Amino acid sequence: MKIAVLTGGVGGARFLRGLVDAVDPAGVTAIVNVGDDLEVLGLAVSPDLDSVLYALAGVADEDRGWGRAGESWNALETVETLGGEAWFRLGDRDLGVHLVRTQGMRAGRPLSAVTARLAAALGVEPTLLPATDEPLRTWLDTPNGSFAFQDWFVARRHRDPVDRVRFEGATDARPAPGVLEALHEAELILIAPSNPFVSIGPILAVERIRSALERRRTPCVAVSPLIGGRAVKGPAADMLQRLQGGTTAAHVAQCYPGLIDVLVIDEADAADAEAVSALGVRALVAHTLMHDPAARRRLAEAALDAVAFA
Ligand code: GDP
Ligand code: CA
């Protein structure tokens, strides 16, 4: 079965791991956010692509929740000692990936081609695609100023309330090779339980991706990143409150107007189902906390079953 999944980093990566346990991984294409990408110490870093890559390669650090297992921090300690740029935590094993990516891109290869090589080298079976090969960067306008995504998220620990999310470069960005094909060929399109504003938003800011979704002939099922109106981790609930006016499942559905047929919501949000239906979106109630492999797989299966409701 061919499935295209729009995804951010950690939440999306957990969901994808469940999905590849439930279906043939070769049929899965992950279309990944690049709005968080940045340059650190001269290296091209793609945090969401790497979260997905590490999760699917089975080398992610499950306890820390980001980065690689068995990580060490010698290079970063040296950088710190030397007074270099150390605010963005890059482990030694992680750095190896950024070195290879940066070299590939300096040699003129697009991010999508470099990503394909990394995925193949790490034995990852699903197709991993950046939403676009062109620079698309997320900016947050806040009462305290405008910040590039990682300045806001990591350096300022997403403490500034967000008034507006902008995607620099999105107007001209073309989908990376394979993205539109994956969306057109998919028998099912999934939106992972990722942050709607800063993980899925940048992907949908690529005009031809959004219009492919608007004109889809196949069902699109999103999974809510909220449980009981709260984010499992990160700023999703705060952003929903401020930018969408609330944190119910209906507010999540409103992030994807005309783009989804079904929203998988948590049991804790079951009372929101009617309000979601009123928006023309079917609500499917499931257990959505992905605390272990079995739970991840069950959530993926629930999203697959949702096709019957679309
Ligand atoms: P990031 O790019 O690393 O921030 O990752 P994503 O945007 O893909 O994922 C962040 C979102 O995942 C947050 O809004 C979390 O609420 C959500 N999330 C994380 N774990 C779970 C889970 O087990 N279940 C659900 N439903 N959402 C989750
Ligand atoms: Ca991210």
Side-chain angles (χ1 to χ4, degrees):
M1 183 179 190
K2 289 197 169 175
I3 302 176
V5 188
L6 272 52
T7 176
V10 173
R14 280 188 193 142
F15 178 71
L16 278 161
R17 283 197 56 186
L19 184 64
V20 298
D21 283 344
V23 298
D24 178 5
V28 174
T29 299
I31 300 168
V32 185
N33 173 38
V34 293
D36 303 7
D37 289 16
L38 74 165
E39 195 167 287
V40 188
L41 296 162
L43 301 177
V45 180
S46 294
D48 286 4
L49 276 169
D50 288 340
S51 293
V52 172
L53 181 70
Y54 296 158
L56 292 176
V59 301
D61 190 311
E62 307 263 341
D63 299 325
R64 198 178 338 112
W66 57 274
R68 298 187 59 157
E71 190 59 280
S72 57
W73 306 89
N74 298 300
L76 194 73
E77 275 164 34
T78 304
V79 169
E80 245 166 343
T81 306
L82 298 174
E85 185 188 358
W87 62 279
F88 197 84
R89 315 298 293 170
L90 298 177
D92 298 332
R93 290 175 190 271
D94 192 28
L95 267 167
V97 172
H98 307 316
L99 288 169
V100 172
R101 172 187 295 119
T102 304
Q103 188 194 24
M105 292 176 73
R106 292 241 172 98
R109 285 193 284 281
L111 179 60
S112 54
V114 174
T115 301
R117 279 202 191 184
L118 295 173
L122 288 174
V124 168
E125 235 189 304
T127 304
L128 247 63
L129 299 175
T132 176
D133 275 331
E134 282 144 75
L136 183 162
R137 297 290 174 268
T138 301
W139 284 80
L140 295 308
D141 294 341
T142 83
N144 307 319
S146 293
F147 303 102
F149 181 80
Q150 301 294 355
D151 285 337
W152 172 74
F153 191 82
V154 177
R156 300 179 66 86
R157 304 209 169 92
H158 53 78
R159 64 172 174 262
D160 315 275
V162 174
D163 292 321
R164 190 168 161 235
V165 187
R166 286 182 289 120
F167 307 108
E168 190 183 275
T171 329
D172 305 319
R174 289 163 300 170
V179 168
L180 293 181
E181 292 82 348
L183 289 171
H184 288 139
E185 289 168 12
E187 292 151 77
L188 171 63
I189 301 170
L190 295 172
I191 298 182
S194 295
N195 186 309
F197 302 99
V198 293
S199 290
I200 304 300
I203 304 174
L204 297 174
V206 178
E207 192 44 49
R208 292 182 66 193
I209 297 183
R210 177 178 282 270
S211 61
L213 239 67
E214 281 167 352
R215 291 187 217 140
R216 70 193 177 280
R217 283 199 219 99
T218 193
C220 180
V221 177
V223 181
S224 173
L226 297 194
I227 297 182
R230 302 168 74 146
V232 176
K233 205 173 167 234
D238 290 345
M239 297 184 86
L240 267 162
Q241 184 64 50
R242 197 167 165 96
L243 298 172
Q244 205 70 260
T247 61
T248 71
H251 292 97
V252 175
Q254 279 166 348
C255 293
Y256 303 122
L259 301 176
I260 60 171
D261 303 293
V262 181
L263 182 66
V264 178
I265 67 176
D266 194 78
E267 287 152 0
D269 301 302
D272 299 343
E274 252 180 66
V276 173
S277 304
L279 297 166
V281 174
R282 301 294 304 266
L284 185 82
V285 178
H287 179 82
T288 74
L289 185 64
M290 299 176 282
H291 47 74
D292 63 19
R296 286 196 294 255
R297 182 184 170 142
R298 275 200 304 274
L299 179 57
E301 284 168 346
L304 295 168
D305 289 345
V307 183
F309 288 82

